[in-house]
Short mmCIF file of all heavy atoms in Angstrom, two decimals:
data_model
loop_
_atom_site.label_atom_id
_atom_site.label_comp_id
_atom_site.label_asym_id
_atom_site.label_seq_id
_atom_site.Cartn_x
_atom_site.Cartn_y
_atom_site.Cartn_z
N ASN A 23 0.78 -1.28 -0.04
CA ASN A 23 0.04 -0.01 0.06
C ASN A 23 0.83 1.21 -0.02
O ASN A 23 1.90 1.28 0.68
CB ASN A 23 -0.89 -0.04 1.35
CG ASN A 23 -1.87 -1.09 1.23
OD1 ASN A 23 -2.48 -1.44 0.20
ND2 ASN A 23 -2.15 -1.77 2.34
N LEU A 24 0.38 2.19 -0.64
CA LEU A 24 1.03 3.46 -0.68
C LEU A 24 1.02 4.10 0.68
O LEU A 24 0.07 3.91 1.50
CB LEU A 24 0.41 4.46 -1.58
CG LEU A 24 0.65 4.25 -3.07
CD1 LEU A 24 -0.17 5.09 -4.01
CD2 LEU A 24 2.10 4.47 -3.50
N ALA A 25 2.03 4.79 1.17
CA ALA A 25 1.99 5.39 2.48
C ALA A 25 0.92 6.45 2.67
O ALA A 25 0.44 6.97 1.72
CB ALA A 25 3.41 5.95 2.78
N SER A 26 0.46 6.54 3.86
CA SER A 26 -0.54 7.61 4.20
C SER A 26 -0.01 9.00 3.86
O SER A 26 1.28 9.16 3.83
CB SER A 26 -0.95 7.49 5.66
OG SER A 26 0.06 7.80 6.50
N ALA A 27 -0.90 9.97 3.71
CA ALA A 27 -0.41 11.36 3.40
C ALA A 27 0.50 11.88 4.58
O ALA A 27 1.46 12.47 4.34
CB ALA A 27 -1.68 12.24 3.22
N GLU A 28 0.11 11.44 5.82
CA GLU A 28 0.87 11.83 6.94
C GLU A 28 2.30 11.39 6.92
O GLU A 28 3.22 12.06 7.22
CB GLU A 28 0.18 11.48 8.20
CG GLU A 28 0.87 12.09 9.54
CD GLU A 28 0.09 11.71 10.78
OE1 GLU A 28 -1.01 11.20 10.68
OE2 GLU A 28 0.71 11.88 11.92
N ALA A 29 2.37 10.04 6.61
CA ALA A 29 3.69 9.43 6.60
C ALA A 29 4.47 10.00 5.47
O ALA A 29 5.74 10.10 5.62
CB ALA A 29 3.55 7.77 6.52
N THR A 30 3.85 10.24 4.46
CA THR A 30 4.60 10.70 3.24
C THR A 30 5.17 12.16 3.59
O THR A 30 6.45 12.34 3.16
CB THR A 30 3.76 10.95 2.16
OG1 THR A 30 3.11 9.61 1.66
CG2 THR A 30 4.35 11.49 0.89
N GLN A 31 4.45 12.93 4.23
CA GLN A 31 4.89 14.22 4.51
C GLN A 31 6.15 14.22 5.52
O GLN A 31 6.86 15.10 5.49
CB GLN A 31 3.78 15.23 5.16
CG GLN A 31 2.76 15.48 4.08
CD GLN A 31 1.49 16.25 4.70
OE1 GLN A 31 1.48 16.37 5.79
NE2 GLN A 31 0.51 16.56 3.90
N SER A 32 6.17 13.32 6.37
CA SER A 32 7.22 13.25 7.35
C SER A 32 8.45 12.46 6.95
O SER A 32 9.45 12.44 7.64
CB SER A 32 6.67 12.55 8.70
OG SER A 32 6.35 11.23 8.35
N ASN A 33 8.34 11.85 5.76
CA ASN A 33 9.47 10.98 5.12
C ASN A 33 10.23 11.83 4.20
O ASN A 33 9.64 11.98 3.13
CB ASN A 33 8.87 9.71 4.70
CG ASN A 33 9.93 8.77 4.38
OD1 ASN A 33 11.00 9.07 3.90
ND2 ASN A 33 9.67 7.40 4.45
N PRO A 34 11.34 12.12 4.33
CA PRO A 34 12.15 13.08 3.43
C PRO A 34 12.37 12.26 2.10
O PRO A 34 12.66 12.99 1.04
CB PRO A 34 13.47 13.25 4.10
CG PRO A 34 13.57 12.12 5.14
CD PRO A 34 12.22 11.83 5.55
N LEU A 35 12.32 11.05 2.02
CA LEU A 35 12.60 10.33 0.71
C LEU A 35 11.46 10.45 -0.33
O LEU A 35 11.67 10.17 -1.48
CB LEU A 35 12.88 8.83 1.00
CG LEU A 35 14.15 8.58 1.87
CD1 LEU A 35 14.11 6.99 2.21
CD2 LEU A 35 15.37 8.84 1.06
N PHE A 36 10.24 10.87 0.20
CA PHE A 36 9.13 11.05 -0.59
C PHE A 36 9.18 12.23 -1.58
O PHE A 36 8.48 12.35 -2.45
CB PHE A 36 7.80 11.04 0.13
CG PHE A 36 7.40 9.65 0.44
CD1 PHE A 36 7.77 9.05 1.53
CD2 PHE A 36 6.39 8.90 -0.39
CE1 PHE A 36 7.47 7.70 1.77
CE2 PHE A 36 5.97 7.66 -0.01
CZ PHE A 36 6.52 7.03 1.07
N ALA A 37 10.17 13.11 -1.27
CA ALA A 37 10.28 14.34 -1.97
C ALA A 37 11.78 14.51 -2.41
O ALA A 37 12.63 14.08 -1.74
CB ALA A 37 9.84 15.53 -1.33
N LYS A 38 11.84 15.18 -3.54
CA LYS A 38 13.29 15.50 -3.97
C LYS A 38 14.00 16.28 -2.92
O LYS A 38 13.44 17.34 -2.23
CB LYS A 38 13.37 16.40 -5.23
CG LYS A 38 12.91 15.56 -6.55
CD LYS A 38 13.08 16.39 -7.83
CE LYS A 38 12.64 15.75 -8.96
NZ LYS A 38 12.70 16.57 -10.30
N SER A 39 15.23 15.99 -2.75
CA SER A 39 16.06 16.72 -1.77
C SER A 39 16.25 18.19 -2.36
O SER A 39 16.33 18.39 -3.45
CB SER A 39 17.41 16.09 -1.57
OG SER A 39 18.39 16.96 -0.96
N THR A 40 16.17 19.05 -1.32
CA THR A 40 16.33 20.59 -1.75
C THR A 40 17.87 20.84 -1.81
O THR A 40 18.13 22.12 -2.04
CB THR A 40 15.60 21.42 -0.67
OG1 THR A 40 16.12 21.15 0.61
CG2 THR A 40 14.02 21.02 -0.72
N LEU A 41 18.72 20.04 -1.39
CA LEU A 41 20.15 20.30 -1.46
C LEU A 41 20.57 20.26 -2.85
O LEU A 41 19.88 19.75 -3.73
CB LEU A 41 20.91 19.29 -0.69
CG LEU A 41 20.59 19.23 0.88
CD1 LEU A 41 21.50 18.09 1.53
CD2 LEU A 41 20.84 20.51 1.51
N GLN A 42 21.71 20.93 -3.10
CA GLN A 42 22.29 21.03 -4.51
C GLN A 42 22.31 19.63 -5.19
O GLN A 42 22.83 18.77 -4.53
CB GLN A 42 23.56 21.70 -4.42
CG GLN A 42 24.25 21.99 -5.82
CD GLN A 42 25.59 22.71 -5.64
OE1 GLN A 42 25.96 23.12 -4.60
NE2 GLN A 42 26.31 22.82 -6.75
N TYR A 43 21.84 19.63 -6.39
CA TYR A 43 21.87 18.55 -7.30
C TYR A 43 21.08 17.29 -6.65
O TYR A 43 21.34 16.12 -6.94
CB TYR A 43 23.17 18.06 -7.85
CG TYR A 43 24.00 19.15 -8.41
CD1 TYR A 43 25.33 19.30 -8.27
CD2 TYR A 43 23.37 20.16 -9.05
CE1 TYR A 43 26.12 20.29 -8.91
CE2 TYR A 43 24.05 21.25 -9.65
CZ TYR A 43 25.41 21.17 -9.63
OH TYR A 43 26.06 22.35 -10.16
N GLN A 44 20.19 17.63 -5.59
CA GLN A 44 19.52 16.53 -4.93
C GLN A 44 20.31 15.63 -4.08
O GLN A 44 19.95 14.43 -4.02
CB GLN A 44 18.62 15.72 -6.07
CG GLN A 44 17.61 16.53 -6.76
CD GLN A 44 16.87 15.71 -7.92
OE1 GLN A 44 16.24 14.60 -7.56
NE2 GLN A 44 17.05 16.12 -9.13
N ALA A 45 21.40 16.20 -3.62
CA ALA A 45 22.17 15.34 -2.72
C ALA A 45 21.41 14.94 -1.57
O ALA A 45 20.56 15.80 -1.07
CB ALA A 45 23.41 16.27 -2.29
N PRO A 46 21.48 13.75 -1.10
CA PRO A 46 20.62 13.28 0.03
C PRO A 46 20.86 14.12 1.21
O PRO A 46 22.05 14.43 1.59
CB PRO A 46 21.02 11.84 0.29
CG PRO A 46 21.71 11.40 -1.07
CD PRO A 46 22.40 12.59 -1.62
N ASP A 47 19.78 14.50 1.95
CA ASP A 47 19.93 15.18 3.21
C ASP A 47 19.94 14.20 4.40
O ASP A 47 18.86 13.85 4.92
CB ASP A 47 18.71 16.08 3.43
CG ASP A 47 18.89 17.19 4.52
OD1 ASP A 47 19.83 16.91 5.34
OD2 ASP A 47 18.31 18.24 4.50
N PHE A 48 21.15 13.80 4.64
CA PHE A 48 21.31 12.66 5.70
C PHE A 48 20.99 13.25 7.08
O PHE A 48 20.96 12.44 8.09
CB PHE A 48 22.82 12.37 5.61
CG PHE A 48 23.17 11.55 4.36
CD1 PHE A 48 24.07 12.23 3.41
CD2 PHE A 48 22.61 10.33 4.05
CE1 PHE A 48 24.33 11.57 2.22
CE2 PHE A 48 22.90 9.69 2.89
CZ PHE A 48 23.79 10.28 1.90
N ARG A 49 20.80 14.58 7.26
CA ARG A 49 20.28 14.99 8.57
C ARG A 49 18.87 14.58 8.90
O ARG A 49 18.50 14.40 9.98
CB ARG A 49 20.29 16.60 8.58
CG ARG A 49 21.68 17.27 8.45
CD ARG A 49 21.60 18.66 8.24
NE ARG A 49 20.99 19.03 7.01
CZ ARG A 49 20.87 20.22 6.40
NH1 ARG A 49 21.36 21.30 7.07
NH2 ARG A 49 20.10 20.40 5.30
N LEU A 50 18.09 14.41 7.81
CA LEU A 50 16.71 14.04 7.94
C LEU A 50 16.36 12.65 7.73
O LEU A 50 15.43 12.14 8.30
CB LEU A 50 15.87 14.87 6.90
CG LEU A 50 16.14 16.45 6.82
CD1 LEU A 50 15.33 17.08 5.70
CD2 LEU A 50 15.68 16.99 8.11
N ILE A 51 17.25 11.95 6.99
CA ILE A 51 16.94 10.44 6.63
C ILE A 51 17.25 9.53 7.77
O ILE A 51 18.36 9.52 8.37
CB ILE A 51 17.75 10.05 5.43
CG1 ILE A 51 17.36 11.00 4.07
CG2 ILE A 51 17.44 8.66 5.15
CD1 ILE A 51 18.18 10.69 2.97
N LYS A 52 16.28 8.72 8.20
CA LYS A 52 16.37 7.83 9.31
C LYS A 52 16.12 6.43 8.71
O LYS A 52 15.54 6.18 7.70
CB LYS A 52 15.32 8.07 10.39
CG LYS A 52 15.33 9.59 11.00
CD LYS A 52 16.71 10.01 11.58
CE LYS A 52 16.67 11.38 12.05
NZ LYS A 52 18.02 11.80 12.41
#
């Protein structure tokens, strides 16, 4: 099942990283 809207919003992997060239934001990824 697709994640709920709430889970999607709290999961940084569901959106493109805002860092340069979409470098992963390891501060947020758990």
Side-chain angles (χ1 to χ4, degrees):
N23 295 318
L24 289 171
S26 68
E28 183 179 349
T30 299
Q31 291 173 358
S32 64
N33 189 326
L35 294 171
F36 278 83
K38 288 184 179 180
S39 168
T40 58
L41 298 178
Q42 186 174 347
Y43 304 152
Q44 302 174 56
D47 194 337
F48 294 108
R49 296 168 301 187
L50 305 177
I51 299 170
K52 309 298 181 187

